[in-house]
Amino acid sequence: MSEPKDHMTLIVFSNDLDRAMAAFILATGAASSGMEVTIFFTFWGISLLRKKNFVGGKKKLVERLFGWMLPEGPEDATLSKMNFFGAGTSMMKNLMRKKKMPQLADYLSMARSLDVRLVACTTSMGIMGIRQEELLDNIEYGGVATYLGKARESGVNLFI
Amino acid sequence: MSEPKDHMTLIVFSNDLDRAMAAFILATGAASSGMEVTIFFTFWGISLLRKKNFVGGKKKLVERLFGWMLPEGPEDATLSKMNFFGAGTSMMKNLMRKKKMPQLADYLSMARSLDVRLVACTTSMGIMGIRQEELLDNIEYGGVATYLGKARESGVNLFI
Amino acid sequence: MSEPKDHMTLIVFSNDLDRAMAAFILATGAASSGMEVTIFFTFWGISLLRKKNFVGGKKKLVERLFGWMLPEGPEDATLSKMNFFGAGTSMMKNLMRKKKMPQLADYLSMARSLDVRLVACTTSMGIMGIRQEELLDNIEYGGVATYLGKARESGVNLFI
């Protein structure tokens, strides 16, 4: 077994662009320095894993409502502050593009190619009425036990 | 002394329904798998421990104002996002009830019966003007030193 | 090398008065009990390190806009909840002053005199268009690698 300090877990609770960026910058930085990284997506964070424009499946009205209101994937994410109905978010995205920085969707791909494990919290999916077919392919599913198993052998555990 | 990885501490800073749910799902999950869990309630999180409709005590006006505005216990907690003046929160509570999931107040009882230690931060109580008689019975009180003493011997420490 | 449990790292992502207070109360508490503490300021948190009324330097319009909107240092920070256009924040500051509690700016000085390391995240500075001359003197600069190096040898790591 490798040393605890070589593992990192992140709980991504939020779907805010800024918090998600922070999580992925940490995750890809750690993975490229050789750490084993697992990200658990819970609650609002689940929506970062949603496929764009997914249609289909039978849902109850209340689940459908949540579905409409939640962002679909990383490109829909907005800032937690100074969003100003999208203007602040666009401004920051432009600033990042000019500086040739990767966008959130790029970080997501980067994380996958660096073998960062992406786990969707099944409890949260139940609460939100989100189903597996709505989420990206090739991610993992788990609950609190999965998280705790990993966090107990990790040296760095953050809730973002 | 047990191994550090068998302890978990959570700082619950927020009184949002969603964040509080995340904290209690983690805490009860960990406690039922045999981990020793301590939750520190700070700042807004303190209000999750308030008794419902507590009346009495002499307070300064400004403390009284805070008292009126802060939620009273887990049933008053609302979502951090998509609250829509309570509609979003009701929707999610209904969805959870239909799926027979426990509500926040149930998680709080569950945590107590699993011997999760609930500690109210005395520094925050001072800032908010909240007194011990306003909070649930049989909780503990402590400050930063109490927290650090516990966190240093824990393998999983999260700020929620 | 000292024991992992004697180190603490905090990522201060937010510039909210309440979250910043929580971070500094933890940091100064830990440092005065002999722990080695490092605070990483990322994203909005960077603005807590800004000098008051800094003028000068050439910036692009969009960077200038962010500059105007972001708070300048600890005295500009407002509550994440119940701010009510500043009224809630003033109320809490008054309450704290009456109880002779230190303000955020006092905690910042206290942290410095206790040798808490203050590190500004260079990646975030790039995203926000904030430059070194705008920030306090005698702080450190670093990125993810700096953070991870420290977090891996710390027993308590929190994202605030």
Side-chain angles (χ1 to χ4, degrees):
Chain A
M1 206 186 89
S2 56
E3 286 291 290
K5 56 183 181 182
D6 289 334
H7 292 49
M8 176 165 82
T9 70
L10 304 176
I11 296 183
V12 174
F13 172 86
S14 162
N15 58 14
D16 296 324
L17 176 60
D18 39 9
R19 294 193 164 250
M21 283 289 297
F24 277 102
I25 290 174
L26 282 165
T28 52
S32 47
S33 77
M35 287 177 83
E36 192 194 301
V37 183
T38 309
I39 312 182
F40 289 82
F41 295 85
T42 63
F43 280 74
W44 314 108
I46 295 279
S47 65
L48 295 168
L49 299 177
R50 287 179 86 199
K51 286 177 191 149
K52 196 86 190 157
N53 303 320
F54 176 82
V55 186
K58 279 185 77 130
K59 283 194 169 197
K60 290 183 193 114
L61 180 64
V62 65
E63 293 179 334
R64 223 176 268 274
L65 277 171
F66 265 116
W68 285 330
M69 291 185 303
L70 287 172
E72 289 185 334
E75 278 148 40
D76 273 11
T78 53
L79 291 176
S80 66
K81 299 196 168 201
M82 309 208 311
N83 183 38
F84 301 127
F85 303 98
T89 299
S90 301
M91 240 171 81
M92 187 166 287
K93 283 187 180 176
N94 276 329
L95 200 53
M96 289 172 65
R97 223 170 272 130
K98 275 188 191 137
K99 306 206 174 190
K100 309 239 183 295
M101 291 185 64
Q103 303 280 320
L104 185 53
D106 305 322
Y107 273 111
L108 183 59
S109 319
M110 219 187 300
R112 301 198 85 156
S113 65
L114 286 164
D115 291 323
V116 170
R117 289 174 59 194
L118 308 178
V119 184
C121 167
T122 46
T123 311
S124 309
M125 289 169 66
I127 296 177
M128 303 268 182
I130 289 178
R131 294 158 194 206
Q132 293 203 7
E133 69 248 39
E134 294 175 64
L135 301 186
L136 297 180
D137 301 322
N138 303 318
I139 58 170
E140 297 172 59
Y141 294 90
V144 189
T146 317
Y147 169 71
L148 290 170
K150 212 67 213 159
R152 286 164 84 161
E153 52 177 68
S154 295
V156 186
N157 301 304
L158 303 171
F159 184 100
I160 296 184
Chain B
M1 203 184 89
S2 58
E3 286 292 289
K5 56 184 180 181
D6 289 334
H7 291 50
M8 176 164 82
T9 70
L10 303 176
I11 295 182
V12 174
F13 173 87
S14 162
N15 58 13
D16 297 323
L17 176 60
D18 39 9
R19 294 194 164 250
M21 282 289 296
F24 278 102
I25 290 174
L26 281 164
T28 52
S32 48
S33 78
M35 288 177 82
E36 191 193 302
V37 183
T38 309
I39 312 184
F40 290 84
F41 295 85
T42 63
F43 279 77
W44 314 108
I46 295 280
S47 66
L48 295 168
L49 299 177
R50 287 178 87 197
K51 285 177 193 151
K52 195 86 190 156
N53 303 322
F54 174 83
V55 185
K58 278 184 77 128
K59 282 195 170 198
K60 292 185 189 108
L61 180 64
V62 65
E63 293 179 334
R64 222 175 268 276
L65 276 171
F66 265 115
W68 284 330
M69 291 186 300
L70 287 171
E72 289 185 334
E75 276 147 43
D76 273 10
T78 52
L79 290 177
S80 66
K81 298 195 170 203
M82 309 208 311
N83 182 38
F84 302 126
F85 303 99
T89 299
S90 301
M91 241 171 80
M92 187 165 289
K93 283 186 178 175
N94 275 330
L95 199 52
M96 288 171 65
R97 221 169 275 128
K98 273 188 193 138
K99 306 206 174 192
K100 312 239 182 293
M101 292 184 63
Q103 304 279 320
L104 186 53
D106 305 322
Y107 273 111
L108 183 58
S109 320
M110 219 187 297
R112 300 197 84 155
S113 65
L114 286 163
D115 292 322
V116 170
R117 290 174 59 194
L118 308 178
V119 185
C121 167
T122 46
T123 311
S124 309
M125 289 170 66
I127 296 179
M128 302 269 183
I130 290 178
R131 293 158 193 206
Q132 293 202 9
E133 69 248 37
E134 295 174 63
L135 301 186
L136 298 180
D137 301 322
N138 303 318
I139 59 171
E140 297 171 59
Y141 294 90
V144 189
T146 317
Y147 169 71
L148 290 169
K150 212 65 212 158
R152 287 164 85 159
E153 53 177 67
S154 294
V156 185
N157 299 305
L158 302 172
F159 184 100
I160 295 184
Chain C
M1 204 185 89
S2 58
E3 285 292 288
K5 57 184 180 181
D6 289 334
H7 292 49
M8 176 165 83
T9 70
L10 304 176
I11 295 182
V12 174
F13 173 88
S14 162
N15 58 13
D16 296 325
L17 176 60
D18 40 8
R19 294 194 163 250
M21 284 288 297
F24 277 102
I25 291 173
L26 282 165
T28 52
S32 47
S33 79
M35 287 177 83
E36 191 194 302
V37 183
T38 309
I39 312 183
F40 290 82
F41 294 85
T42 63
F43 278 77
W44 315 108
I46 295 280
S47 65
L48 295 168
L49 298 177
R50 287 179 86 198
K51 286 177 191 149
K52 196 87 189 154
N53 303 321
F54 175 82
V55 186
K58 277 184 77 129
K59 281 195 171 197
K60 289 184 193 111
L61 179 64
V62 65
E63 292 179 334
R64 223 176 268 274
L65 277 171
F66 265 116
W68 284 328
M69 291 184 302
L70 287 171
E72 290 185 334
E75 277 146 42
D76 273 10
T78 53
L79 290 177
S80 66
K81 299 194 171 205
M82 309 208 311
N83 182 38
F84 301 127
F85 303 98
T89 300
S90 301
M91 241 170 80
M92 187 165 288
K93 284 186 179 175
N94 275 331
L95 199 52
M96 289 171 64
R97 221 169 275 130
K98 273 187 195 139
K99 306 205 174 190
K100 310 242 183 291
M101 291 186 61
Q103 303 279 319
L104 186 52
D106 305 324
Y107 273 111
L108 183 58
S109 320
M110 218 188 299
R112 300 197 85 156
S113 64
L114 286 163
D115 291 323
V116 171
R117 288 174 60 194
L118 308 178
V119 184
C121 167
T122 47
T123 311
S124 310
M125 289 170 66
I127 296 177
M128 302 269 182
I130 289 177
R131 294 158 193 205
Q132 293 203 7
E133 68 247 40
E134 294 174 62
L135 301 186
L136 297 179
D137 301 322
N138 302 320
I139 59 170
E140 296 172 58
Y141 294 90
V144 189
T146 316
Y147 169 70
L148 290 170
K150 212 65 212 160
R152 288 164 84 162
E153 52 179 68
S154 295
V156 185
N157 300 304
L158 302 172
F159 184 100
I160 296 183

